[in-house]
Amino acid sequence: MTTVLVTGASGQLGQCIKDIAHQFPALNLLFVDKNTLDITNTNDVLEFFETHTIDWCINCAAYTAVDNAENDHENAYKVNVFGVKNIAQACQKYDVKMIHVSTDFVFDGLKTAPYTELDIPNPINIYGETKLKGENEIQQILEKHFIIRTSWLYSEHGSNFMKTMLRLAEDRDELSVIDDQFGTPTYAGDLAQIIFQIIQTNSKNYGTFHYSNDGAISWFDFSKAIFELSDVEIKLNAIPTTSYPTPAKRPIYSIMDKSKIIVTMGIEIPFWEKSLNRALIKLNK
Ligand SMILES: NC(=O)c1ccc[n+]([C@@H]2O[C@H](COP(=O)([O-])OP(=O)(O)OC[C@H]3O[C@@H](n4cnc5c(N)ncnc54)[C@H](OP(=O)(O)O)[C@@H]3O)[C@@H](O)[C@H]2O)c1
């Protein structure tokens, strides 16, 4: 039986992986969270790998508070670089294949056409910088790795843009949303499926891949669709980034080219609005 370790399993992606794990009865899944396996603890990570027979490790553990990271560089680095390095070293030592999730925020957003895996990253905030350094650690340590860069992740779990919009709409009748940052939302349930597909097919096409849902929109477009699909009536104002200053700068354009993962893994990518609808149905269940 193939054994798959999922780190950071209490997070949004980890929970989406848990939700569909029953579809893959041939896989033995081990879910660990920060309390059961802190990836920044080198000894604990090595001991876990030594005492369990693991074939694959999906690393969902990350420091994801983009704005907080600006003033908390040390902790963001500890998890996204040092923790990732611990996992990669353990994978290397025990011959485990690693699937790691990274971000569109490794790019500066200055391009005007979708970013490919060959584009040179140039992060403009601390979170993106630490995620890029984490990618680099894996690339240096471990051959058998898949780094999947994704963007604007949301789901029925955890806290994310979709849930924040719906929560804010509960006690407001007007909201202002940025309309000059462009990207693609990604339903974490779709990403979880792709991750399982890589494992099931025992893919050996190691390397870095871009994966988001299909299409390209602004945060304003995304919020409009969230409310329309949820039958929530609210007045939406489109505002520029300059009207909503945040501690961390964000790329104004982070659309990713997904050709590589489509061709290499033979997958179809759902259009963002279709996936949003599925996520909203799950949320309301
Ligand atoms: N969310 C997005 O919009 C987005 C966009 C692009 C890429 N990504 C990437 O996608 C991946 C999954 O994101 P997500 O939305 O699922 O994030 P998430 O919900 O914040 O989950 C991350 C999980 O990692 C845990 N964690 C933090 N430090 C840890 C440690 N030292 N050891 C073990 N676990 C630790 C967190 O626990 P605590 O909550 O208790 O700290 C949390 O449960 C991440 O790599 C992220 O960088 C996310």
Side-chain angles (χ1 to χ4, degrees):
M1 205 177 205
T2 302
T3 297
V4 183
L5 172 66
V6 183
T7 52
S10 302
Q12 167 171 229
L13 178 61
Q15 291 189 66
C16 285
I17 289 173
K18 254 184 215 166
D19 284 351
I20 59 167
H22 66 276
Q23 296 174 16
F24 306 93
L27 301 178
N28 172 35
L29 283 134
L30 303 175
F31 294 100
V32 290
D33 61 17
K34 197 157 78 177
N35 298 321
T36 41
L37 185 63
D38 179 344
I39 66 163
T40 66
N41 188 320
T42 312
N43 289 337
D44 284 358
V45 169
L46 283 172
E47 196 188 318
F48 195 95
F49 277 71
E50 196 180 322
T51 50
H52 297 79
T53 304
I54 304 164
D55 301 290
W56 291 79
C57 173
I58 308 170
N59 181 39
C60 299
Y63 183 110
T64 56
V66 177
D67 286 318
N68 291 350
E70 293 300 303
N71 290 314
D72 192 18
H73 182 269
E74 202 179 314
N75 283 317
Y77 186 94
K78 200 172 165 194
V79 182
N80 292 345
V81 186
F82 185 67
V84 170
K85 182 179 178 187
N86 280 340
I87 298 284
Q89 280 176 333
C91 285
Q92 173 63 19
K93 185 165 180 196
Y94 294 98
D95 194 23
V96 176
K97 286 160 276 208
M98 178 175 182
I99 300 181
H100 176 73
V101 183
S102 190
T103 171
D104 55 330
F105 279 17
V106 298
F107 295 115
D108 58 19
L110 298 179
K111 238 187 129 179
T112 51
Y115 281 96
T116 76
E117 292 81 355
L118 297 175
D119 283 313
I120 311 286
N122 181 31
I124 56 173
N125 58 42
I126 298 290
Y127 166 75
E129 196 183 301
T130 59
K131 292 294 289 185
L132 178 61
K133 285 189 174 148
E135 287 185 8
N136 294 340
E137 292 289 352
I138 297 169
Q139 287 155 348
Q140 280 163 29
I141 295 166
L142 181 70
E143 184 214 339
K144 295 178 184 173
H145 72 259
F146 295 86
I147 293 169
I148 306 179
R149 293 187 185 133
T150 192
S151 60
W152 298 20
L153 207 59
Y154 72 93
S155 71
E156 61 275 24
H157 299 294
S159 61
N160 55 64
F161 185 80
M162 175 186 79
K163 288 175 73 179
T164 302
M165 287 292 113
L166 292 170
R167 180 175 44 81
L168 292 175
E170 279 172 15
D171 44 31
R172 295 192 202 178
D173 37 38
E174 195 172 336
L175 278 176
S176 297
V177 185
I178 288 168
D179 76 340
D180 59 358
Q181 282 175 26
F182 297 92
T184 314
T186 307
Y187 176 39
D190 291 339
L191 177 58
Q193 284 284 356
I194 297 309
I195 289 174
F196 275 114
Q197 183 167 336
I198 292 173
I199 296 172
Q200 259 205 323
T201 57
N202 199 17
S203 176
K204 293 187 173 52
N205 295 301
Y206 306 117
T208 300
F209 296 87
H210 289 175
Y211 181 85
S212 68
N213 280 132
D214 200 12
I217 53 171
S218 70
W219 289 111
F220 177 80
D221 301 326
F222 193 24
S223 62
K224 198 161 163 266
I226 292 166
F227 294 126
E228 277 173 8
L229 292 171
S230 308
D231 286 327
V232 173
E233 284 202 16
I234 187 160
K235 183 172 184 285
L236 281 180
N237 306 311
I239 57 163
T241 302
T242 48
S243 300
Y244 187 73
T246 51
K249 277 212 296 179
R250 282 155 170 85
I252 57 163
Y253 179 97
S254 66
I255 294 150
M256 295 187 292
D257 184 310
K258 276 93 61 183
S259 321
K260 183 179 171 192
I261 199 162
I262 291 170
V263 172
T264 314
M265 308 292 173
I267 59 162
E268 279 182 27
I269 298 189
F271 191 65
W272 68 269
E273 202 167 10
K274 247 184 150 172
S275 292
L276 173 60
N277 203 23
R278 282 172 40 234
L280 286 166
I281 291 168
K282 285 237 170 129
L283 182 68
N284 294 321
K285 258 191 186 163

